[in-house]
Structures are given as C-alpha cells and as structure tokens.
Amino acid sequence: MQKLEFLLLLFLATFPITFSITDGLLPNGNFELGPKPSQLKGKVVTARDAIPEWTISGFVEYIRSGHKQGDMMVIVPEGDSAVRLGNEASIMQKVKLVKGMYYSITFSAGRTCAQDEKINVSVTPTSEKRNWGVFPIQTVHSSHGWDFYACGFKADHPEVEIVIHNTGGDEHPACGPVIDSVALAVLNHSKRTNGNLLKNGDFEDGPYVFPNTNCGVLIPPNMDDPHSPLPGWIVESLKSVKYLDSDHFSVPKGKRAIEFVAGKESAIAQIVRTQTGKIYDLSFAVGDANNACEGSMTVEAFVGTETVKVSYDSKGKGGFTRGRLRFKAVSSRTRITFFSSFYSMKIDGSLCGPVLDDVKLLSVRYLRHP
Ligand SMILES: *[C@@H]1O[C@H](CO)[C@@H](O)[C@H](O)[C@H]1NC(C)=O
Ligand SMILES: *[C@@H]1O[C@H](CO)[C@@H](O)[C@H](O)[C@H]1NC(C)=O
C-alpha cells in the first residue's frame, strides 16, 4: 500500500463522522420517494416509517402535484411530491453531524388555509437552552404560494433528530402546511479580522440556497434564538429578511446578500465589541436585486444615537450605492442596526425591498484614507 493511501485510510478510520454530511438536500429531503400503496389510505400515510428516510407522527398526507383539496389546488413546491402536516403532526429524520459545529436547515413550506399556520422546527437531543424555532407561515412573500425558510442550530451530539412539527392549532383536517425540500448546510462562523470588525459582513456565510430556484430564503426573526442561520446577525422585529444568491439576483458583492422584504417590520443587527471613545467607520452597500422591485428605497443604519439614511432609486434592474456612518463608541459593546424605511411591492403583489451587502466596520486607525 502507498503511504498516502495508508494515511487516508487511517484518517477515515479515525474520523468517519466527518464524511457524514455535505451541504444540500437531506436523504429523500424532497419526499420524492413515497409510501407503498398499502401504506396509504387515500392521501393519508398510515405507517410511521412509510416515507423512506423519515418517521412521521400524527395526521400526515402524502401530496402529489395536481392534488385538489375541495376546489383548491394544493401546491407542491418542488418535484412531484410533498407532505402536508395536520394539526400537531410531525415529520422527523435522524442525521449524523459533527458535534460542536453549527448548521442551518432550509425547507420550503406553503400554507393551505387562510388561518395562520405555524411550524416548530427542533433538533434533539440538545444541551442548549433552546434548539427550536417557530415559523409563522402567514404572509406569503412570493407569488407562487410557498417560500423557503431557514433556521440555525449547534450540534451537541454526533447524531440528532430534526423534527418539523405543525403547532398550528387549527383543528380542520384539511388545514396544515405543505412541507418540501429539506436541506442542511454547515455554517462556517469565520472569525472577525482587522479588515472588518463585523462578523459575516458580506453575508457569504448563511443557509443553503437551492441552485434551481429563484426565490431566495426567508430568515425569520431570531431574537431569542442563540444560533442564527446568518452567523453574526440577529433578525430583529416582526418579519423575515430574505437571503439572496448571485445566481438568481443582483448582489453588490460576492455571492450572497439580504433583501429587506417587510419595510420597517424587519431589521437586522449585530453587536460588536468597541472601545469607548474610539472612532469607527461603518460602510455598506444598498441596492436592488434585479427582481423588478422598482421605486425609491431608503435603508437606515443606526448606531447608538447616530443614524444615517441612504436613498437609492431602483429601476428594478440591479445596481447599488454606498452609505457611510462615522461614529464614536460610547461603550464596550455597540449595536449596529439596519432596516428599510418603506415597503416596496412588485407588480404581482409580492413584497420586496432594498438589498444590503458588504457591511464593513473599521476602527479609523486602520483606514488608509481617513
Ligand atoms: C417546539 O418543539 C420543542 C421540541 O419538541 C419544544 O420543546 C418547544 O416547546 C416547542 N415550542 C413551541 C412554541 O411549541
Ligand atoms: C466555508 O468554509 C469552507 C472551507 O474553508 C469554504 O470552502 C467555504 O467557501 C466557506 N463558505 C463560506 C460561505 O464562507
């Protein structure tokens, strides 16, 4: 045996777990493999392990595209099949992870009834105070009736169970969200550098974005959640921000950016270590995603009592401008917050807004052109 091969085998034998996950769809994460006909009663799944790779609990329907509920067409987000969770129903999958690492879960969900529907995504077992998040599936941000959502967690165990649970509380058996396309990705949590005192200021580190869809990923408010799917950042206030990729949208820098799709109702913030009395420069890019979101847009940045408004006139075809705020730190921790002053809407009625990217914070000492 060659020395290199031997070392590789030794490495594989020592760290087998390292090879257990790659970014992307979970096994049968899009539910294309379904139950045997004997495990279905109409659309209802009758055995706990009938859907390959998944375990179910409660009233779960296996939906094929073209399925009607009364007069309404139930939308399957991707491929031919999806599942619909009745009240208090769950789907679960065990995954092998690297203990101590951070992950994000991306999934698509659509609602079927007018009522608010809520999904609780949790990861067990955990030694964290909290390893779950609730997603309200209410305002549909896209025109096609479903959206992608993302959350983040830290793996406390080498094997965890991902549970997607409908906590909606709507007793009507025909109500309950449709779930499809469940994916996992490793979050890097790269360190801050002297080139940028902010973590993940360019939003490159974030949840999995499906390469074949052009609708972005909603990141819901995660104020109480210790593990954001967007490392470094907290989505504040009531509504989600949207995570965009450069394959389908125009982004000012790199491959990823965020779009404020809910006006003042969504904000993102980061808390940074600062030295009291020191001068800092905050700079950022504001633009549009080349997604037909037109009109005048304004992004506000807040640092303590200082604020700056950056206006941008969007033609809906991509492009950006830059904003800057110089401030003096008044404490050892400074909160930097961004939001959009206005709502914007596309002609099809879906919500949209300005894009934020390339957020940098420098201590003035490091500036080449002070
Ligand atoms: C979400 O699920 C987790 C795990 O089952 C549970 O501990 C938590 O209380 C649930 N949260 C809500 C709001 O239902
Ligand atoms: C995460 O880290 C890996 C390995 O260093 C790198 O290839 C990848 O580009 C990083 N991703 C992001 C989003 O920073």
Side-chain angles (χ1 to χ4, degrees):
M1 195 177 341
Q2 298 290 315
K3 194 174 171 207
L4 200 62
E5 279 175 29
F6 172 75
L7 285 175
L8 184 63
L9 279 178
L10 186 70
F11 182 74
L12 282 169
T14 320
F15 305 103
I17 218 109
T18 314
F19 300 90
S20 53
I21 128 142
T22 45
D23 289 2
L25 205 62
L26 288 181
N28 198 27
N30 53 2
F31 305 99
E32 294 302 294
L33 304 175
K36 295 191 192 86
S38 64
Q39 296 166 317
L40 280 172
K41 198 172 168 192
K43 307 270 176 290
V44 183
V45 183
T46 57
R48 275 179 70 79
D49 55 358
I51 303 172
E53 311 288 344
W54 295 92
T55 307
I56 65 157
S57 121
F59 182 92
V60 175
E61 284 184 329
Y62 190 70
I63 307 284
R64 290 208 170 83
S65 102
H67 169 81
K68 278 195 172 167
Q69 194 104 51
D71 293 338
M72 289 273 293
M73 187 72 82
V74 177
I75 294 160
V76 168
E78 191 265 332
D80 283 329
S81 322
V83 292
R84 201 177 65 74
L85 304 180
N87 194 26
E88 299 296 345
S90 305
I91 48 163
M92 294 152 268
Q93 183 168 146
K94 278 204 167 75
V95 289
K96 288 195 164 64
L97 301 173
V98 182
K99 190 178 166 200
M101 286 195 39
Y102 296 87
Y103 294 87
S104 63
I105 301 170
T106 304
F107 62 94
S108 56
R111 68 174 183 174
T112 47
C113 294
Q115 289 83 354
D116 285 0
E117 291 176 351
K118 289 200 190 87
I119 308 176
N120 182 355
V121 179
S122 59
V123 174
T124 53
T126 180
S127 37
E128 305 282 307
K129 273 209 206 81
R130 173 174 166 148
N131 245 14
W132 54 271
V134 171
F135 297 78
I137 312 295
Q138 24 173 263
T139 316
V140 173
H141 289 263
S142 57
S143 47
H144 46 247
W146 54 272
D147 283 298
F148 281 107
Y149 297 84
C151 58
F153 69 94
K154 185 179 174 207
D156 291 326
H157 295 265
E159 188 178 58
V160 299
E161 193 163 44
I162 293 172
V163 184
I164 302 178
H165 178 80
N166 171 18
T167 58
D170 193 324
E171 302 289 340
H172 197 287
C175 291
V178 169
I179 307 288
D180 204 353
S181 304
V182 188
L184 206 60
V186 176
L187 296 173
N188 280 355
H189 275 266
S190 37
K191 297 267 180 297
R192 291 175 179 87
T193 60
N194 276 352
N196 193 356
L197 299 171
L198 287 172
K199 193 172 187 180
N200 199 19
D202 51 8
F203 303 104
E204 296 298 298
D205 194 13
Y208 186 72
V209 179
F210 283 88
N212 52 356
T213 56
N214 61 350
C215 46
V217 177
L218 292 175
I219 302 181
N222 50 33
M223 284 172 279
D224 314 326
D225 207 335
H227 306 301
S228 169
L230 206 51
W233 296 98
I234 310 159
V235 179
E236 294 190 322
S237 57
L238 298 170
K239 299 272 169 74
S240 307
V241 298
K242 196 180 258 190
Y243 194 53
L244 306 179
D245 65 312
S246 61
D247 286 346
H248 300 97
F249 298 93
S250 170
V251 309
K253 189 179 173 233
K255 293 200 162 114
R256 306 288 174 90
I258 60 150
E259 180 185 7
F260 289 109
V261 286
K264 269 187 176 153
E265 286 184 282
S266 68
I268 64 158
Q270 185 164 148
I271 298 161
V272 280
R273 247 169 251 229
T274 43
Q275 273 180 41
T276 308
K278 208 168 187 178
I279 309 289
Y280 294 88
D281 262 347
L282 176 69
S283 67
F284 52 96
V286 172
D288 76 283
N290 186 19
N291 58 350
C293 187
E294 293 176 41
S296 59
M297 298 173 170
T298 299
V299 167
E300 298 182 39
F302 264 96
V303 184
T305 55
E306 312 265 347
T307 170
V308 63
K309 290 187 186 189
V310 176
S311 295
Y312 172 77
D313 190 25
S314 169
K315 303 274 181 289
K317 298 200 184 320
F320 64 93
T321 184
R322 288 199 182 268
R324 195 168 190 230
L325 179 64
R326 179 167 283 192
F327 67 94
K328 188 189 228 179
V330 292
S331 70
S332 60
R333 298 184 129 234
T334 301
R335 177 182 287 258
I336 296 172
T337 308
F338 295 93
F339 64 82
S340 158
S341 310
F342 314 112
Y343 289 95
S344 306
M345 203 178 265
K346 293 185 217 170
I347 289 168
D348 68 8
S350 56
L351 291 166
C352 61
V355 167
L356 176 71
D357 199 3
D358 197 16
V359 187
K360 276 205 183 93
L361 183 69
L362 293 175
S363 149
V364 167
R365 182 157 58 93
Y366 291 111
L367 287 182
R368 259 170 277 154
H369 312 287

